[in-house]
């Protein structure tokens, strides 16, 4: 089933939700999409790994401008960041039944998703209005699809996967659960990307390829043959560089 974010509210109050994750590089982008639709009110954020001790001035100097927002005093975007491991109890006590799952660590994202599902708390699926969805496509719970993506005929996208802008997923593809797909992926038909895969920017994968569970594909790679699980591949054509084991 395809689940879309609600249409913009014309009256009444937006629905209250919490967000897992806080980094401006990912969370800030998704929040701008939600803000444009005015459907949700972010009550607070969660970090299951604690908050970094940052030198804010040093962090700004690493970046091309000073617009990146960082957590200060346990807050970001004007809202509190909670680090409690009892996030399910916190959500229940505050009457929040939906969350946006933007945890960057794939194993943690899967773990949080499972805990929330058992507790009956929904991970929101968000698909930007500019995305083209072909016929007979299925998209799982908690999946986020950025602007200007193409999801081809009879393809399947799993739970908790994030697909960033300008990706073309061709017909009869299957992308598994808890994957990170960076901008400008292009796949051929009948491609299978298994669970917990990270694909970096501007990767091309030809048709009838399988990318194994836990694989990482380096930026700009051209994948011409199937990839073994838990491995790093890079190059044009892509070659196995080394074993790659996911960790929390």
């Amino acid at each position: 089933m395809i689940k879309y974010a609600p249409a913009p509210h014309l009256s009444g109050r937006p629905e209250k939700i919490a967000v897992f994750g806080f980094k401006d590089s990912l969370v800030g982008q998704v929040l701008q999409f939600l803000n444009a639709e005015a459907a949700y009110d972010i009550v607070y954020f969660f970090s299951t790994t604690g908050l970094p001790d940052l030198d804010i001035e040093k962090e700004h100097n690493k970046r091309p401008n000073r617009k990146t927002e960082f957590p200060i005093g346990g807050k970001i975007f004007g809202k509190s960041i909670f680090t409690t491991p009892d996030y399910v109890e916190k959500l229940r006590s505050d009457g929040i039944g939906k969350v946006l799952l933007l945890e960057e660590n794939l194993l943690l994202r899967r773990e949080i998703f499972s805990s929330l599902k058992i507790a009956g708390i929904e991970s929101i699926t968000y698909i930007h209005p500019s995305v083209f969805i072909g016929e007979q496509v299925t998209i799982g719970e908690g999946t986020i699809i950025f602007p200007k993506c193409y999801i081809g005929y009879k393809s399947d996208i799993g739970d908790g996967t994030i697909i960033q802008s300008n990706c073309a997923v061709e017909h009869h593809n299957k992308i598994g659960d808890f994957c990170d797909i960076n901008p400008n992926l292009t796949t051929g038909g009948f491609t299978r990307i298994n669970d917990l895969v990270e694909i970096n920017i501007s990767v091309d994968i030809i048709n009838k390829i399988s990318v194994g569970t836990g694989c990482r594909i380096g930026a700009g790679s051209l994948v011409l043959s199937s990839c073994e699980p838990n491995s790093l591949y890079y190059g044009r054509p892509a070659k196995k560089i080394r074993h790659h084991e996911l960790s929390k």
Side-chain angles (χ1 to χ4, degrees):
M1 181 191 304
I2 301 173
K3 301 178 183 177
Y4 293 93
H9 281 249
L10 300 178
S11 62
R13 291 189 293 180
E15 187 170 13
K16 293 184 181 298
I17 66 169
V19 177
F20 282 82
F22 61 88
K23 292 184 179 179
D24 198 10
S25 54
L26 176 61
V27 175
Q29 290 192 79
V30 177
L31 293 189
Q32 73 171 338
F33 307 148
L34 297 183
N35 290 340
E37 299 190 15
Y40 296 114
D41 175 20
I42 311 301
V43 180
Y44 46 69
F45 298 84
F46 283 109
S47 171
T48 57
T49 56
L51 295 179
D53 183 14
L54 299 175
D55 181 331
I56 303 300
E57 188 64 26
K58 185 176 180 180
E59 294 298 322
H60 279 309
N61 289 337
K62 293 178 183 178
R63 291 163 173 78
N65 61 38
R66 300 179 63 86
K67 295 180 180 180
T68 303
E69 190 154 352
F70 300 101
I72 298 175
K75 291 187 175 184
I76 196 164
F77 308 115
K79 303 294 177 69
S80 295
I81 307 170
F82 291 97
T83 57
T84 173
D86 298 324
Y87 50 83
V88 168
E89 183 58 34
K90 173 69 175 168
L91 292 166
R92 281 175 168 166
S93 66
D94 292 335
I96 297 175
K98 293 183 179 180
V99 304
L100 192 63
L101 188 50
L102 297 173
E103 167 58 54
E104 292 188 336
N105 182 287
L106 300 181
L107 292 177
L108 280 175
R109 190 187 304 167
R110 182 175 66 179
E111 180 181 290
I112 295 165
F113 178 92
S114 178
S115 296
L116 295 172
K117 196 165 186 67
I118 290 169
I121 297 169
E122 179 184 344
S123 296
I124 296 165
T125 298
Y126 177 79
I127 303 170
H128 191 271
S130 66
V131 174
F132 177 87
I133 304 288
E135 293 183 2
Q136 300 184 55
V137 166
T138 59
I139 295 177
E141 183 179 347
T143 282
I144 311 294
I145 305 182
F146 277 45
K148 298 183 179 179
C149 289
Y150 173 94
I151 310 297
Y153 174 70
K154 289 188 176 179
S155 288
D156 299 323
I157 313 294
D159 295 330
T161 283
I162 298 175
I163 302 177
Q164 296 192 35
S165 54
N166 297 304
C167 290
V169 176
E170 266 299 344
H171 62 93
H172 297 87
N173 274 214
K174 181 175 178 62
I175 298 179
D177 299 333
F178 312 106
C179 294
D180 270 350
I181 311 296
N182 282 271
N184 301 315
L185 169 70
T186 300
T187 71
F190 300 100
T191 294
R192 176 188 292 271
I193 297 171
N194 285 283
D195 298 347
L196 299 164
V197 168
E198 179 184 347
I199 296 180
N200 283 283
I201 193 168
S202 299
V203 168
D204 301 312
I205 303 175
I206 67 166
N207 59 310
K208 301 179 181 179
I209 292 294
S210 177
V211 178
T213 298
C215 261
R216 184 176 183 184
I217 310 297
S221 293
L222 171 61
V223 182
L224 299 177
S225 57
S226 292
C227 301
E228 298 174 7
N230 300 311
S231 301
L232 170 64
Y233 283 80
Y234 175 72
R236 298 185 73 86
K239 297 180 180 179
K240 182 176 177 179
I241 305 301
R242 58 177 168 81
H243 180 77
H244 170 70
E245 197 69 45
L246 292 171
S247 62
K248 291 183 184 178

